[in-house]
Amino acid sequence: MLATIIFLLKWPFTVIFVYIVIRLTASILHNRPEAVKSSLFHRLKSPIFASHRGGSKSFAPENTMYGYKKCVYEFETEVLEFDVRRSKDGALVIMHDEDVSRTTDGIGLIPQLTLAEIKKLDAAYNFSPDGIEFPLRGREDCKVPTLGELLDEFEQVEKLVFLFDLKEISVVEEVIQIIKERKLEHRSILGAVFPKVNARMMELKPEEVPAAVDIRTMIKLYSLYMLGFLWLVPIKHEYLGVALYGSTTTKILTKNFVSAIHERGRKLAVFGIDLDTDLMQNYCLELGVDLLISDRPDMLKKNIETFRTKRLLSENLGGIDQLR
């Protein structure tokens, strides 16, 4: 009985002691971000200007050479994001959906179509800036491109970074081999939303190539952040990601969340339909988001340039004040 009473008196103090140890450990780990060995990760200075599927809202059909060329040569995007799938006969093609019907005049699934059949599709068929006219139908640069065609065109743009969004596990090994053969390790970021594809990607990718997180891992990391335990687990991916749709924009994307990611030595990427406004792009820039992947690169170019100019002016004025 006496032993029981002593135990009951002691256990609250034990709990408090354990809690204090945990919080002290967390504080120490917060100040010791995990090292990232990729030189590209360190070379890309935030905020980073990325074009999602070649800009697929107002001026170009998604994942077409027409759109990619505008992003690179006109808007001078820093990162070009695109989706990679495999055709029936093994070709690597650039398309987001497995089903071709949303973006082309055809029907069927990419894995069930040969490259020759895919090349007959018009990827501008359903694209209409105003919902009335379809001005880009029939253009050769609005066919579905292959990965080789895309890299052949833009590999010469030395500062351009390629963001490969791997849609199928079957493409992972070949994409990584192509990156190595073309010596693009210092110009490539790899990502895959689906966990199994991402896991295979992480197994095979070169250490130099930074990686973006899959959806399941991101949910786990955000849950740990909400519980105050983001510091507790290792983070293998260099880029964490948030899709901005409706309520996620304000509920998830906060200054504290961005800071918590930075404290772990990682960067945050955002994408989604909510990112296609001046208001949201500027909100993300003010929060310190690192990689903005937008369907409106025309708009993002202007907003990032304005933000960088204001930041530079503020830094210069701060330096002048210190000299006074």
Side-chain angles (χ1 to χ4, degrees):
M1 182 65 178
L2 181 60
T4 302
I5 294 173
I6 293 173
F7 172 77
L8 291 174
L9 290 172
K10 283 185 175 180
W11 80 263
F13 298 101
T14 303
V15 171
I16 293 171
F17 175 75
V18 171
Y19 176 79
I20 292 172
V21 170
I22 290 175
R23 295 305 299 175
L24 287 173
T25 304
S27 177
I28 293 170
L29 291 176
H30 270 164
N31 295 316
R32 295 174 59 187
E34 296 167 271
V36 173
K37 296 181 179 179
S38 167
S39 64
L40 173 63
F41 178 86
H42 298 291
R43 190 171 76 246
L44 287 174
K45 301 302 181 184
S46 304
I48 307 159
F49 168 25
S51 297
H52 187 238
R53 305 182 202 168
S56 56
K57 288 295 181 185
S58 63
F59 61 83
E62 66 180 65
N63 282 329
T64 61
M65 294 302 292
Y66 177 86
Y68 293 132
K69 288 178 180 178
K70 288 185 75 69
C71 289
V72 174
Y73 301 133
E74 183 175 339
F75 305 131
E76 299 178 307
T77 190
E78 295 167 315
V79 177
L80 199 63
E81 188 268 355
F82 48 86
D83 308 287
V84 186
R85 293 187 176 276
R86 187 182 295 282
S87 69
K88 182 179 180 180
D89 51 350
L92 297 181
V93 297
I94 307 301
M95 183 171 285
H96 180 272
D97 297 5
E98 184 180 50
D99 189 331
V100 303
S101 61
R102 180 178 64 87
T103 56
T104 79
D105 56 344
I107 57 173
L109 305 179
I110 290 290
Q112 298 173 359
L113 299 172
T114 65
L115 179 60
E117 291 171 326
I118 292 169
K119 279 296 185 181
K120 292 178 182 177
L121 302 176
D122 185 350
Y125 189 80
N126 295 324
F127 173 75
S128 175
D130 58 8
I132 301 173
E133 301 292 332
F134 299 85
L136 300 178
R137 282 181 177 178
R139 289 180 61 107
E140 193 63 30
D141 54 3
C142 288
K143 300 288 186 182
V144 178
T146 65
L147 177 60
E149 290 168 346
L150 185 147
L151 295 177
D152 287 344
E153 174 67 33
F154 300 115
E155 195 174 331
Q156 62 181 325
V157 184
E158 294 182 359
K159 292 184 178 181
L160 182 65
V161 173
F162 301 105
L163 174 47
F164 298 76
D165 189 348
L166 309 180
K167 293 300 184 185
E168 306 167 9
I169 201 165
S170 67
V171 309
V172 174
E173 187 170 354
E174 186 173 351
V175 166
I176 291 174
Q177 185 60 36
I178 289 170
I179 290 172
K180 292 178 180 178
E181 290 173 354
R182 291 179 179 253
K183 295 180 172 53
L184 294 175
E185 293 95 334
H186 299 278
R187 296 176 55 190
S188 298
I189 301 171
L190 288 170
V193 173
F194 303 114
K196 288 184 179 180
V197 182
N198 200 289
R200 182 62 173 160
M201 177 190 84
M202 294 297 286
E203 288 177 10
L204 299 179
K205 80 173 188 70
E207 193 174 63
E208 169 59 28
V209 179
V213 74
D214 63 90
I215 187 169
R216 185 169 63 194
T217 301
M218 189 62 214
I219 291 172
K220 180 184 75 173
L221 292 173
Y222 183 74
S223 299
L224 287 169
Y225 160 75
M226 291 297 292
L227 294 170
F229 294 113
L230 184 60
W231 57 272
L232 191 59
V233 296
I235 301 178
K236 297 180 181 180
H237 299 80
E238 289 82 4
Y239 287 95
L240 308 190
V242 173
L244 303 183
Y245 298 105
S247 61
T248 63
T249 300
T250 53
K251 288 183 179 179
I252 294 179
L253 192 61
T254 64
K255 185 69 174 178
N256 287 342
F257 181 48
V258 176
S259 297
I261 292 171
H262 290 167
E263 286 170 355
R264 289 300 307 272
R266 297 299 184 260
K267 293 182 180 180
L268 178 64
V270 296
F271 61 96
I273 57 175
D274 284 2
L275 189 57
D276 299 329
T277 66
D278 285 319
L279 181 65
M280 187 50 57
Q281 290 181 4
N282 287 317
Y283 174 75
C284 291
L285 291 170
E286 292 298 329
L287 286 185
V289 170
D290 303 285
L291 178 59
L292 288 79
I293 311 171
S294 177
D295 291 314
R296 290 297 306 271
D298 51 336
M299 181 185 296
L300 184 57
K301 173 182 172 65
K302 170 179 62 72
N303 288 328
I304 282 188
E305 287 179 346
T306 301
F307 177 82
R308 287 171 174 168
T309 299
K310 288 181 178 179
R311 183 173 63 182
L312 181 62
L313 181 60
S314 176
E315 290 172 354
N316 289 339
L317 289 176
I320 292 173
D321 291 339
Q322 290 179 0
L323 292 174
R324 289 177 178 174

